[in-house]
Amino acid sequence: MNSKADEIFGQPRITIHSVAAAAGVSKSTVSRILDERLPRSDSETARRVRKVAEELGYVRDVSAASLRRGNTMTIGVIVPRLTDTVMAMLYEALAKACSRTGRFAIVATTDDKPKADRLAAESLLKRGVDGLILSTAREDDDFPDELAKRGIPYVLALRTDGHSLSSVGDDRLGGYLAARHLLDLGHRRIGVIAGPSYASSSRGRVEGFKQALEEAGLSATPAYIIPSTFGIESGAVAVETLMNLSPRPTAIFTVNDNTAIGALSGLTKLGLSVPQDISIVGYNDIPIVSHLPTPLTTLRVPFEQIASNALDLLAGDDSDDDRIRISAPTLIPRKSTAPAR
């Protein structure tokens, strides 16, 4: 959106888009480098961006850098629950990102119930938040569209509905990397403990897993894909179902570390050892999994980058082709995976 000052004496105003195009970097990179409130970077990229900005005559528009509405500098964050370590990590990353830019984040929980989303949002909006960041998007819910119709600034995080402003991990890539890791170890019968189908993160990870199998000339066996919640108990229940199959899988990909922890517990009760009897891969790299008796192989999600992107989008740093920002996960091999026997 152009302001009245976008043209000066008939000349187009030099914007962050102009600097990004000339420097060959993203708009969010330019925004961070030129934000005087952040620690000054002396990297080669930062020096190039500052030089290009100076040569073009760029002047930072403080009003455009602030959120689209309100002046409280407070962001409302809606998560399913803070007892879920993944959601706690997201909120902590958002809170830190807010503090770096003079903002403050407050949180409300919903227990992943659609009606609770609306109540949480209204409660936060009554407290004057400038915008909302939601990690509760569901495939079957039109709540984000309702917010858009009301003109309320919002961004989806970790999950997306496919069209709203969103900052997510590359879940498809993560599922692909997990399957590729197990395939490279020689596993061919691989079970999946999937999350709920209404969550885009769960669906993306399973789709990436299937893609890797197809490229290896294999097909995902429907009986080997067990739906679950993102909770520990559901992981224990799902792994028992997998171990009752004949032939049973030699490896398991779980789309969430909590589910993986539950699966590890269930395998122990069944008298099975990891990775001697079965390999297992988790997702998210929550802090505890590297300290388990058998440290968990998992996909590390860049929560800080996702949080930073979410705030940039909420502040209006987006374009039609940049509405969904995707951050790549990293495979972290540990001792829970081993070559197939």
Side-chain angles (χ1 to χ4, degrees):
M1 181 180 296
N2 295 331
S3 69
K4 293 180 180 179
D6 278 350
E7 291 191 4
I8 302 175
F9 301 115
Q11 298 298 318
R13 182 187 181 94
I14 301 300
T15 67
I16 194 171
H17 301 264
S18 311
V19 178
V25 297
S26 69
K27 298 185 296 296
S28 58
T29 297
V30 174
S31 177
R32 286 191 293 273
I33 290 172
L34 299 183
D35 191 339
E36 298 90 347
R37 296 167 297 178
L38 300 180
R40 183 182 175 87
S41 171
D42 197 38
S43 68
E44 181 179 348
T45 298
R47 291 195 297 271
R48 183 171 76 253
V49 167
R50 285 193 290 267
K51 181 179 179 181
V52 169
E54 181 178 358
E55 291 175 347
L56 292 178
Y58 171 76
V59 177
R60 183 171 180 268
D61 187 342
V62 177
S63 64
S66 63
L67 293 176
R68 292 182 178 130
R69 64 184 289 273
N71 298 303
T72 65
M73 298 300 285
T74 303
I75 308 301
V77 181
I78 301 177
V79 300
R81 57 190 67 84
L82 286 175
T83 51
D84 183 333
T85 307
V86 172
M87 295 302 166
M89 291 173 72
L90 173 66
Y91 174 62
E92 183 174 315
L94 286 167
K96 288 181 179 178
C98 280
S99 68
R100 289 195 296 268
T101 56
R103 288 173 280 186
F104 185 75
I106 58 176
V107 66
T109 60
T110 67
D111 201 29
D112 226 356
K113 296 177 180 177
K115 291 183 179 179
D117 275 11
R118 291 163 171 79
L119 293 174
E122 291 303 325
S123 177
L124 291 169
L125 291 169
K126 287 178 181 178
R127 285 163 173 76
V129 298
D130 295 327
L132 298 170
I133 296 177
L134 303 91
S135 64
T136 53
R138 303 169 66 101
E139 184 181 43
D140 56 352
D141 188 24
D142 58 1
F143 180 51
D145 294 332
E146 293 176 14
L147 292 175
K149 290 177 181 177
R150 293 171 58 186
I152 296 171
Y154 75 94
V155 172
L156 307 182
L158 294 185
R159 303 181 195 171
T160 181
D161 59 6
H163 61 271
S164 296
L165 292 175
S166 306
S167 177
V168 297
D170 193 336
D171 297 301
R172 191 179 184 98
L173 173 62
Y176 181 93
L177 293 174
R180 189 68 262 171
H181 173 66
L182 294 171
L183 289 167
D184 289 345
L185 290 172
H187 295 280
R188 293 299 179 266
R189 299 196 309 274
I190 307 172
V192 179
I193 301 180
S197 61
Y198 59 73
S200 65
S201 54
S202 173
R203 295 195 308 275
R205 293 166 195 177
V206 175
E207 289 168 1
F209 169 86
K210 290 180 177 179
Q211 179 186 345
L213 261 61
E214 290 172 1
E215 290 181 4
L218 305 171
S219 58
T221 304
Y224 280 21
I225 302 177
I226 310 298
S228 72
T229 70
F230 287 128
I232 293 175
E233 291 183 5
S234 66
V237 172
V239 82
E240 184 174 353
T241 300
L242 284 171
M243 292 300 99
N244 283 330
L245 296 175
S246 182
R248 69 188 185 192
T250 63
I252 299 173
F253 167 47
T254 68
V255 300
N256 179 280
D257 282 344
N258 283 334
T259 313
I261 291 171
L264 289 168
S265 174
L267 291 169
T268 299
K269 291 180 180 178
L270 293 171
L272 297 172
S273 299
V274 175
Q276 291 82 0
D277 297 317
I278 189 163
S279 291
I280 188 165
V281 177
Y283 207 106
N284 287 310
D285 196 30
I286 64 175
I288 193 174
V289 299
S290 63
H291 302 288
L292 296 172
T294 302
L296 183 69
T297 295
T298 188
L299 277 297
R300 177 174 294 163
V301 173
F303 290 102
E304 291 189 1
Q305 184 63 52
I306 289 172
S308 178
N309 284 342
L311 289 177
D312 284 346
L313 289 169
L314 195 61
D317 182 16
D318 69 280
S319 59
D320 289 341
D321 59 351
D322 191 33
R323 294 181 60 80
I324 300 178
R325 296 193 181 175
I326 302 174
S327 303
T330 305
L331 177 72
I332 309 296
R334 295 194 180 103
K335 295 184 177 181
S336 68
T337 50
R341 299 176 66 178

